[in-house]
Structure formats: C-alpha cells, structure tokens
Amino acid sequence: MPLNRRTFLGTTAAAGAAVAVAGGTALPAEAETRDLGGEHGHGRPPKRYAFSVMGTTDLHGHVFNWDYFTDKEYDDAAHNDVGLAKISTLVDQVRKEKGRHNTLLIDAGDIIQGTQLSYYYARVEPITGSAGKRGPKHPMALAMNHMRYDAAALGNHEFNYGIPTLRAFQEQLDFPLLGANALDAKTLKPAFPPYTVRRLRVPHGPDVKVGILGLTNPGIAIWDKANVQGRMTFPGLVEQAKIYVPKLRALGCDVVICTDHSGLDGSTSYGDALPYPENASSLVAEQVPGIDAILVGHTHKEVASRTVVNKETGKPVVLSEPYMWGMRLSVFDFALEFSKGRWHVTSVTASVRNANAVAEDPVVSRLVKAEHAKVVAYVNQVVGTNKAEMRSTEAPFKDVPIIDLINHIQAETVKNALASTAYASLPVLSQAACFSRSAVIPAGQVTIRDVAGLYVYENTLEARLLTGAQVKAYLEFSANYYVQTTGAVDPAKITNANNTPDYNYDVVSGVSYEVDIAKPAGSRVSKVMFGGKPLDDAAQFVLAVNNYRANGGGNFPGVATAKQLWANSDEIRNTMIAWVKAKGVIDPAEFASVDWKLTQNGVPVF
C-alpha cells in the first residue's frame, strides 16, 4: 500500500502477510505504526499527559461550502456550512490550542460519493485514468492530504463506483483507509488495513501509543452487491472488533479508538437479510472490552457525546458523531496518567465544533480551485428545455410531476430493454422517492445540474418480476412513512415516522391508490387499481426499481427475492440526462398525473 510524502515507521504486519483483491494491489494485512514527532527526553517520566483526536464523517465529496445543484453557496434552514475547507480551519484551531504533536485527525467514512465534484472524478474524468493515461488526483485526496489525516474508515459509499476507483483513491492518500471487517471473499483475510498505530512523543517520557481500528458497514454486501459479490465480504463490527482490539492492546497500545461507519442505535434497514446489525457502534462499545472512544458515522446525525458502559469491564466508552458533509468536527480530549510503567486513560470527553463559525482554509481552496471550476462548468451544460417548472417541495405528501418524471423515464427505459424478451407484454410499474425536497426543474433551459439534483444518488436501474399481491404489500410497507394522524393535518409533521428518511418512501407509478393516514401502519393502503379495475393479486408486473431497493435497501418486502429480468450498469441520473438530451423538450403534460393521494378516514387531505 503506497504511503506517500509522510514517514511511517515499523509495521505490525506478520511476515509475508498480504492479500490481493480484484481491482487492487497487494496490501499488508495490518497497518503501519507512525512516529508523530516531538522530543524524546531521558528524565523522569511525567505523571500526566493530554492529547486530542479530531474526527469527521460522511463528508460525501464536499470540499467547498458549495451546492453544485443550485450553483451557489450551500445554505439550509439552520445556516449550516459544509466542506473540508471549513473543517481544515477548525482543525488548525485545535492544533494551535492543543499543540500540533498532541493531536490526531481521523474520519469515519463515506468520502468519495455525494456531490457532482466527486461524481465528476469517478465518471467524467475518472481518477482511474482512461485511454492508457494516468488519472487526475481526487479533490478529496488533495484536501485530506493537506490536512494531514492520520486514518479513515471505509464507508459503504466508497464502493459505489467499484473497487478499481476505490483502489485508485486509496493509492492517492497519504494515510491508510481502514476496514477490519472488509475481507477478501476467497481468503477471508483483510482486504484493507484493519488498524494503524500512532505514537505520540511525550517530552521527558515514554511514547503514548494510540491504536486506531477502522470498521465499516456490513450493508455493503447488499447495497453494492454488483461491485463486491465474490470479491469482498463484510462480517459484523462487534465480531471483528473482538479480534483486533486485543491485538492492539497486545501491541502495547495505551489508547484504543475506533472509527466506525455505523450508527449508534443498533437498528438495521435490511431486516434479516444479513446476520449483522447496520448501526452497531453502541454494541461495539458495550460488548468489546478495551476501547476508549468511538468516532461514529453513517447515520448523518449530530451526537456531540454519548457514553456507553462496557458490560465486561464496567468502564465508560465515549462516542461522538459529527453530523455530515463537514458541518461539524468532533473533538475527543484524552487525559492520561503514568503509573506502573505505562500510560492509563483517566478521562475522555467529546464535543463538536461548528464549521459555520470559521472561514474556509485558503490553502485548501487553492488546491482544489481548478477541479471545482471544471465541475461547475460541467454541471451548467444545457441539455434541453422544460415547458413548465417542476418542484419536489411537496413530493413527500403529494403526487407531483417531478417524481412522475423519474418514474416515466425508468418505465420507458425498462419497456425498451424488455421489448424483445418473453416479458415484453407485461405491464411495467416504476418506483421512485423524493431524494431531495429542494429539487427544481425550471421552465426554459435545463442543465445537467437540474437533472442530477433530482436524483442525487448513484443508483442503477433493474427490472424485477412481482405479483399484484406483492405490489400491494410493497405499497403498504412504504406507507409506514406517515405518522398516524386523526386530527388537524400539518404537512411538516405527518412524514418521517420512526425516523424513516424521505428516500425510503416509494411511490409507484402505473397503478392508482390511496393512503389513509388516520389508520394504523399496516392497514393504510386502499383502492389499488390497475387499468381502471381493482388490482389482481395474481397478475404479474415488471417493477422498474433502483439497485439499492432491489438489493434489500430499506427492507421493502418481495423485491429483493423477486426474479431479476434485466439490470443496467449506468446510473439512473445518467439515464435521465441522456433521455432529456434525446428528447430535447420536457413536457409535463405527457407524463404527469395524480395516481396516489393521502386521505384521512377516506377523505382526501390535499
């Protein structure tokens, strides 16, 4: 594994321990030990020492405080700012406060997917190179290397563009990408370094050895099945932490911190499709002895500090999740005491700092200026025109044309793909969700960013075979998104029941139906019609569905086990952009219709 520009001393890898993975190079089974500098003294060891670990997570391709979909600075209702350029300023502040050699900087994953900046360097001008030419440096690598990250965990979205792109990104980094539970599918050995050890030099005292263990999400096996099946496997976080935390302690680590791309609460979106929980960080803290702190990621939440008591030792473990996109920086402050020949952690506290309180780091801005300009020009290319403005603002509770557009393009694409197959005569339904409540397709000229802003994920399209009964069950499950409401209806309060995200509320085109929010979950959907008649439970349908849903994302019933009739490797948003280019003109009158509606005791709500 290349480790550029910075010096890593020693290794914890066993002799000859290496593993080769499709699309990558041989990697040491375990990561290196790095000397952080400072002065070694020979006097009496000090009794106390303090240092800090800073953490980010779910950066999702954000370098600047910029929204490529709106073509202006990012802003939201809370006036959050985003991006590594802002975080870099916060990191410099902490280093000045604590002393540069008394700090570490780590990340909890989902780095290279999420903005048009990251998309451009995966698909348009890929970092893997093309036509025999070497690829460009990834903007996230440029920024993170400048910021001198010490380690980062793999996120599930790291695999969205395939293993070769991930390996190319890994090679560009000056720090290790960690994944103790990302294993080679054939050898079951680590496909990435499980951990790294950092030495903090203490003046007039022995080094403090900090073990950093990286854990990723088992859901990768479902969500990116096409990219990882047969190549990598992803066991549980608890199971792998139980293997590697004792190793880190045996190596003499005085402090062990985990960076987990896994949420706090033990919940799972994929049901029983996998034997390992999706959000397992609290379980790791509770069940694995020897961990002092955990940087948490994946769920896009802000949790400044939470303490979980380990069941075996009774010792507290401090966890922190710093929101997403570079809006926050977690800071863990460690206090240590030297006794009986070694350092002992006496306390850990955690807090978060807000990126909107500082200016962007001009060095980061300069480093990524040219890449940013290329992407701004790319997303502002005009690809067609639109006859009437469409917005997604009301999409979570109304059938609106902008979501109909997604379903229309998906259904048409699948119909064309199946035209010469035995399934050509079957009716095609389509599912879509509101991925962004701020998406707009303006009247007049339509750019790439307008279309891409409607479909913000790198999902691909599939066709699955369902029965009418399965379609009904699918709709009923989707309706769990609504809060049971029998009184006055406030659109702002009826959605996202049980923290269900907008992207897990699917509407289905090709059938009509009603969702009664006065009724309890499980009995809300009624009047499901196809072709003007009640939907036949035994009838067969083709569902145009994204790969996330088809592979079990959201745990919708029926679809993951349904027969696959066709699949496409191109992102849905690219299919949409190509459709607009070919069509030239978007006319909502050609596809918009009200096929579903919310009711309350049978009476339409809107």
Side-chain angles (χ1 to χ4, degrees):
M1 171 182 168
L3 297 167
N4 307 320
R5 287 192 240 162
R6 296 159 79 176
T7 303
F8 289 76
L9 303 179
T11 178
T12 58
V19 59
V21 179
T25 56
L27 293 172
E30 300 174 6
E32 296 80 358
T33 300
R34 176 173 161 247
D35 187 332
L36 288 175
E39 298 296 330
H40 240 327
H42 299 286
R44 187 175 180 180
K47 290 186 177 181
R48 292 182 179 84
Y49 176 66
F51 74 98
S52 298
V53 177
M54 297 170 282
T56 54
T57 191
D58 297 280
L59 294 168
H60 284 288
H62 289 84
V63 174
F64 297 107
N65 188 47
W66 190 261
D67 187 335
Y68 293 94
F69 298 132
T70 62
D71 203 29
K72 59 185 180 182
E73 282 201 346
Y74 178 85
D75 194 21
D76 60 19
H79 301 299
N80 287 301
D81 286 351
V82 302
L84 278 173
K86 292 262 185 176
I87 290 294
S88 184
T89 302
L90 289 177
V91 167
D92 283 345
Q93 287 181 352
V94 175
R95 285 172 173 161
K96 287 175 183 176
E97 292 170 14
K98 312 290 184 178
R100 180 172 294 272
H101 298 302
N102 300 324
T103 63
L104 298 171
L105 176 60
I106 62 177
D107 182 80
D110 276 4
I111 300 168
I112 61 170
Q113 175 278 339
T115 63
Q116 286 293 285
L117 182 69
S118 52
Y119 175 82
Y120 185 91
Y121 287 96
R123 292 288 190 253
V124 182
E125 192 178 335
I127 60 172
T128 50
S130 58
K133 293 182 179 179
R134 188 180 183 89
K137 274 289 189 82
H138 198 290
M140 296 299 284
L142 290 170
M144 296 177 84
N145 286 343
H146 162 72
M147 294 168 65
R148 296 183 63 83
Y149 270 81
D150 291 280
L154 292 162
N156 55 286
H157 284 289
E158 259 65 84
F159 293 85
N160 284 176
Y161 297 119
I163 292 173
T165 298
L166 175 54
R167 290 300 190 195
F169 178 67
Q170 180 186 24
E171 289 172 4
Q172 293 182 357
L173 298 176
D174 295 348
F175 55 89
L177 281 179
L178 306 178
N181 59 329
L183 309 182
D184 179 272
K186 295 181 177 64
T187 66
L188 298 183
K189 292 181 179 179
F192 293 84
Y195 59 78
T196 188
V197 177
R198 298 292 185 256
R199 291 179 179 267
L200 296 165
R201 288 287 180 88
V202 181
H204 311 297
D207 298 347
V208 171
K209 293 178 70 175
V210 182
I212 305 168
L213 178 67
L215 295 162
T216 191
N217 206 290
I220 295 166
I222 291 176
W223 304 321
D224 266 304
K225 184 178 179 181
N227 290 328
V228 301
Q229 189 173 33
R231 297 180 178 187
M232 293 188 192
T233 186
F234 302 88
L237 285 83
V238 170
E239 289 77 5
Q240 294 303 99
K242 284 183 176 180
I243 294 171
Y244 286 105
V245 172
K247 283 191 176 186
L248 288 168
R249 291 298 183 181
L251 287 169
C253 288
D254 305 290
V255 180
V256 172
I257 183 167
C258 294
T259 174
D260 292 2
H261 194 75
S262 180
L264 284 159
D265 62 9
S267 66
T268 294
S269 69
Y270 40 72
D272 59 2
L274 292 174
Y276 312 110
E278 176 181 352
N279 297 306
S281 290
S282 292
L283 297 176
V284 171
E286 187 179 79
Q287 298 178 20
V288 183
I291 298 169
D292 296 296
I294 300 177
L295 176 67
V296 178
H298 183 57
T299 51
H300 293 200
K301 295 179 180 178
E302 181 180 349
V303 181
S305 181
R306 180 173 298 175
T307 300
V308 174
V309 175
N310 184 267
K311 284 186 173 180
E312 183 173 326
T313 65
K315 293 183 177 179
V317 182
V318 177
L319 302 91
S320 181
E321 183 173 6
Y323 212 12
M324 60 184 183
W325 301 356
M327 292 182 183
R328 305 287 186 272
L329 176 72
S330 283
V331 181
F332 295 89
D333 291 314
F334 291 82
L336 282 72
E337 189 173 89
F338 192 85
S339 65
K340 298 180 180 178
R342 54 159 295 188
W343 291 104
H344 300 269
V345 174
T346 56
S347 72
V348 184
T349 59
S351 59
V352 294
R353 300 195 182 195
N354 197 326
N356 71 8
V358 296
E360 290 186 341
D361 179 346
V363 179
V364 171
S365 299
R366 185 172 66 251
L367 281 171
V368 191
K369 181 180 179 181
E371 290 76 9
H372 172 71
K374 273 187 181 181
V375 176
V376 169
Y378 165 74
V379 300
N380 280 289
Q381 292 179 46
V382 175
V383 291
T385 59
N386 180 29
K387 287 192 173 183
E389 181 184 85
M390 297 181 289
R391 292 181 173 270
S392 64
T393 311
E394 297 181 322
F397 50 87
K398 278 187 182 180
D399 188 345
V400 294
I402 201 167
I403 305 300
D404 292 340
L405 175 62
I406 300 174
N407 276 327
H408 178 72
I409 295 172
Q410 290 183 164
E412 186 176 285
T413 302
V414 168
K415 284 176 185 175
N416 291 337
L418 298 178
S420 59
T421 73
Y423 304 99
S425 62
L426 291 180
V428 177
L429 313 180
S430 179
Q431 62 78 221
C434 177
F435 297 122
S436 168
R437 295 194 186 199
S438 59
V440 181
I441 308 289
Q445 289 188 333
V446 177
T447 64
I448 285 175
R449 67 178 172 85
D450 295 325
V451 182
L454 177 56
Y455 211 112
V456 299
Y457 295 106
E458 278 69 43
N459 295 339
T460 57
L461 189 61
E462 297 190 15
R464 297 284 178 126
L465 185 65
L466 297 182
T467 66
Q470 288 175 313
V471 171
K472 289 179 182 176
Y474 191 101
L475 294 172
E476 192 65 67
F477 182 87
S478 187
N480 292 340
Y481 171 73
Y482 292 106
V483 176
Q484 186 176 7
T485 307
T486 55
V489 175
D490 180 351
K493 296 180 180 179
I494 61 172
T495 62
N496 307 102
N498 300 312
N499 294 314
T500 303
D502 291 343
Y503 62 75
N504 273 347
Y505 174 59
D506 284 1
V507 299
V508 176
S509 70
V511 292
S512 64
Y513 55 97
E514 295 182 3
V515 179
D516 197 326
I517 60 173
K519 297 187 180 300
S523 59
R524 290 173 172 170
V525 177
S526 64
K527 299 182 182 178
V528 185
M529 309 287 283
F530 173 73
K533 298 178 181 179
L535 186 67
D536 181 356
D537 285 353
Q540 288 191 316
F541 298 89
V542 177
L543 179 67
V545 58
N546 69 58
N547 68 304
Y548 172 80
R549 189 71 75 236
N551 289 333
N555 198 31
F556 277 61
V559 66
T561 55
K563 183 177 181 178
Q564 184 190 80
L565 307 180
W566 172 83
N568 189 10
S569 61
D570 201 18
E571 287 93 350
I572 290 171
R573 67 174 165 211
N574 273 352
T575 300
M576 294 173 62
I577 290 166
W579 184 90
V580 174
K581 282 183 176 178
K583 193 83 172 173
V585 178
I586 302 171
D587 185 359
E590 294 181 1
F591 54 81
S593 60
V594 178
D595 295 320
W596 67 273
K597 57 187 175 184
L598 292 187
T599 65
Q600 193 177 53
N601 293 316
V603 179
V605 175
F606 302 108

